[in-house]
């Protein structure tokens, strides 16, 4: 049987990670991998996570399965974190949530739900979008199309082109939106733009599928959820895929959820029965550990305050690095405006150099980023910023 299988080449990001590890130069800089890093270049366990984990494990008496939809306490806490405590969808009973193995699991569950409702549905994703959106959403057979989003000239959103494209979509077209910290560009929608979009979605009858993977790492915990909160309040149906990987630092614990907002409580309940069926066909029950930790943190006032402080510190570090990167680049590359890096949000930005220059940065200067020039801002730190800015200047001028 298996001799027929075609061997696939490794994921480019894995190749990049291996090349970085093998590089013996002490000046090497890793801007490739998409995880948060602190000033020491580590991705530590949050203090709130450590404490919650110890408290939770001390009390745990069994390892029997959690329910098919996951831990109800976690699901409710996450609904309130994303939508806000007294959101009209919560008081109206219009939300149902299924715990998922990470944001990826939530995206896949959402795609499967859409396919169950309409196998011919088309999902529209931004140009560009996170590379994994493509296999996660199309893997179940849904067709994917693109809408314009990023404007390389300004480093912001080409909002008029986006609006014009969405305006042409048929009713019930699915549109994937990034709530904040757009991956890979860092270019986010403003509150005014979210408001314009919600009117368009209402008028055209479009279904928003919102991916929120960086809540708290952009502008603030509430601010980064502005889109899902507005869309949930204004529209009859919204899907929200939530990841706790970055803002709780729980990457390997595979912690996330899919929120389904529906027109009525009964319709939301129906969608949940379908999601439970879908989960059964994929993995049956979600993993418990990460969700139990998040539940413990959000339910405990002290741990929640500690977590909020730690998220604020991560956010401040990213924003500080963005400012300092622009300052350093202004000094080393005065001919080029990198000011967009400071206006963008979250961990990622496109540096805006071509693939030859990316290779040059890697081979000559030991600065690693993906071929599209996406950089993880959190991979920078005070000691390597100046080196990074000088390397960029040399790659740009060919010196
Ligand atoms: C835009 C986006 N969505 C979703 C995810 C989901 O991540 P996970 O499955 O690790 O929770 C990520 C992680 O990098 C992401 O960048």
């Amino acid at each position: 049987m298996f001799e027929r299988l075609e061997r696939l080449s490794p994921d480019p990001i894995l190749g990049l990670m291996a090349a970085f590890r093998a590089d013996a130069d002490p000046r090497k800089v890793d801007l490739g991998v998409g995880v948060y890093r602190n000033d020491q270049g580590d991705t530590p366990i949050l203090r709130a996570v450590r404490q919650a984990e110890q408290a939770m494990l001390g009390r745990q008496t069994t390892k029997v399965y959690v329910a098919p939809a996951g831990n109800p306490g976690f699901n409710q806490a996450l609904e309130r974190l994303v939508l806000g405590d007294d959101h009209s969808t919560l008081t109206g009973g219009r939300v149902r949530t299924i715990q998922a193995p990470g944001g990826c699991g939530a995206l896949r569950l959402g795609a499967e739900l859409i396919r169950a409702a309409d196998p011919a549905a088309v999902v529209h994703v931004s140009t560009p979008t996170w590379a994994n959106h493509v296999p996660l959403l199309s893997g179940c057979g849904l067709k994917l199309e693109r809408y314009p989003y990023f404007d390389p000239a300004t480093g912001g959103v080409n909002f008029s082109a986006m609006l014009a494209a969405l305006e042409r979509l048929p009713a019930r077209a699915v549109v994937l939106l990034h709530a904040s910290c757009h991956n890979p560009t860092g270019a986010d929608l403003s509150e005014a733009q979210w408001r314009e979009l919600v009117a368009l979605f209402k008028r055209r009858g479009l279904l928003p599928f919102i991916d929120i993977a960086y809540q708290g790492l952009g502008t603030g915990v509430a601010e980064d959820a502005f889109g899902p909160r507005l869309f949930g309040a204004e529209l009859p149906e919204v899907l929200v895929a939530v990841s706790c990987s970055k803002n709780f630092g729980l990457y390997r614990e595979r912690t996330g959820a899919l929120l389904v907002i529906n027109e009525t409580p009964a319709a939301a309940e129906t969608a949940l029965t379908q999601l439970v069926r879908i989960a059964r066909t994929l993995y049956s029950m979600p993993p418990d550990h990460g969700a139990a930790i998040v539940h413990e943190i959000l339910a405990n006032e002290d741990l929640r305050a500690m977590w909020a402080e730690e998220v604020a510190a991560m956010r401040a570090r990213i924003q500080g690095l963005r400012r300092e990167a622009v300052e350093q680049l202004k000094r080393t590359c005065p001919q080029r405006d990198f000011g967009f890096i400071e206006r963008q949000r979250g961990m990622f930005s496109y540096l805006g150099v071509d693939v030859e220059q990316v290779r040059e940065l890697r081979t000559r200067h030991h600065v690693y980023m993906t071929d599209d020039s996406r950089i993880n801002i959190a991979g920078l730190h005070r000691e390597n910023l100046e080196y990074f800015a000088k390397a960029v200047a040399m790659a740009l001028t060919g010196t």
Side-chain angles (χ1 to χ4, degrees):
M1 179 66 81
F2 300 130
E3 76 242 15
R4 302 169 196 207
L5 289 175
E6 173 198 350
R7 176 187 284 259
L8 301 178
S9 41
D11 190 327
I13 196 107
L14 297 179
L16 196 67
M17 283 162 74
F20 180 81
R21 269 196 307 274
D23 189 335
D25 195 292
R27 296 167 301 176
K28 65 182 178 177
V29 181
D30 181 11
L31 306 179
V33 186
V35 300
Y36 177 79
R37 297 248 161 92
N38 65 13
D39 264 332
Q40 289 71 46
D42 301 324
T43 308
I45 299 174
L46 299 190
R47 277 192 309 130
V49 165
R50 184 71 92 193
Q51 291 194 15
E53 189 167 44
Q54 278 160 1
M56 182 267 291
L57 283 178
R59 282 200 317 272
Q60 201 169 59
T61 54
T62 180
K63 292 286 186 188
V64 293
Y65 299 112
V66 291
N71 174 340
F74 164 78
N75 288 344
Q76 279 167 24
L78 220 54
E79 286 170 358
R80 287 200 294 271
L81 183 68
V82 172
L83 295 169
D85 276 336
D86 301 312
H87 196 268
S88 62
T89 53
L90 296 173
T91 50
R94 303 202 288 124
V95 190
R96 292 296 180 279
T97 297
I98 182 166
Q99 188 185 316
C104 288
L107 286 161
R108 183 54 181 263
L109 285 173
E112 296 277 355
L113 184 71
I114 292 162
R115 195 183 62 122
D118 179 4
V122 179
V123 183
H124 300 260
V125 298
S126 60
T127 306
T129 196
W130 182 43
N132 271 2
H133 278 148
V134 176
L136 285 168
L137 299 171
S138 65
C140 65
L142 286 179
K143 194 163 170 240
L144 242 61
E145 283 182 11
R146 299 263 176 184
Y147 61 86
Y149 184 81
F150 183 60
D151 182 358
T154 63
V157 179
N158 185 349
F159 193 58
S160 54
M162 178 183 184
L163 281 184
L166 299 186
E167 195 70 67
R168 286 194 295 272
L169 298 184
R172 297 170 65 197
V174 184
V175 181
L176 188 96
L177 299 165
H178 299 227
S180 61
C181 308
H182 186 274
N183 181 3
T185 68
D188 280 352
L189 295 162
S190 67
E191 293 191 0
Q193 289 172 334
W194 279 108
R195 285 204 183 86
E196 265 193 74
L197 271 186
V198 82
L200 186 157
F201 273 66
K202 204 183 272 183
R203 191 171 63 249
R204 303 290 309 163
L206 308 180
L207 175 69
F209 190 174
I210 305 181
D211 182 357
I212 180 160
Y214 298 91
Q215 189 179 359
L217 296 183
T219 308
V221 172
E223 292 84 344
D224 292 347
F226 182 82
R229 291 179 185 191
L230 177 72
F231 272 51
E234 298 283 325
L235 297 175
E237 294 179 345
V238 185
L239 291 177
V240 187
V242 190
S243 167
C244 301
S245 297
K246 312 283 157 78
N247 55 355
F248 287 86
L250 282 169
Y251 309 87
R252 66 169 63 170
E253 302 297 355
R254 312 308 301 130
T255 313
L258 180 75
L259 275 57
V260 184
I261 297 170
N262 226 318
E263 196 155 21
T264 62
E269 195 60 40
T270 301
L272 182 64
T273 65
Q274 287 286 339
L275 284 167
V276 166
R277 174 192 63 77
I278 291 163
R280 195 159 50 237
T281 67
L282 294 171
Y283 55 82
S284 184
M285 306 268 182
D288 172 61
H289 194 72
I293 292 169
V294 170
H295 181 204
E296 184 84 23
I297 292 174
L298 295 179
N300 177 304
E301 217 176 291
D302 294 341
L303 288 178
R304 194 183 175 112
M306 187 187 288
W307 169 76
E309 245 175 59
E310 291 185 281
V311 179
M314 288 196 265
R315 178 170 72 239
R317 179 177 137 72
I318 293 169
Q319 282 171 358
L321 283 168
R322 285 186 173 279
R323 253 192 319 276
E324 286 172 45
V326 172
E327 255 169 51
Q328 292 282 352
L329 288 165
K330 211 182 267 172
R331 261 199 286 280
T332 59
C333 315
Q335 74 283 12
R336 184 119 165 204
D337 179 12
F338 283 99
F340 61 87
I341 293 180
E342 198 177 341
R343 293 191 295 275
Q344 294 168 347
R345 286 286 168 272
M347 290 189 355
F348 305 111
S349 284
Y350 273 159
L351 192 56
V353 301
D354 64 33
V355 71
E356 291 308 316
Q357 291 160 338
V358 168
R359 302 252 160 88
E360 168 98 357
L361 279 162
R362 194 179 309 158
T363 49
R364 258 190 73 200
H365 302 290
H366 315 275
V367 175
Y368 290 73
M369 65 191 73
T370 47
D371 282 351
D372 56 5
S373 88
R374 187 192 82 165
I375 55 171
N376 175 5
I377 300 285
L380 294 168
H381 47 81
R382 296 218 157 68
E383 282 75 57
N384 68 18
L385 256 169
E386 195 182 337
Y387 175 76
F388 161 75
K390 283 185 179 155
V392 173
M394 284 193 261
L396 280 178
T397 54
T399 52

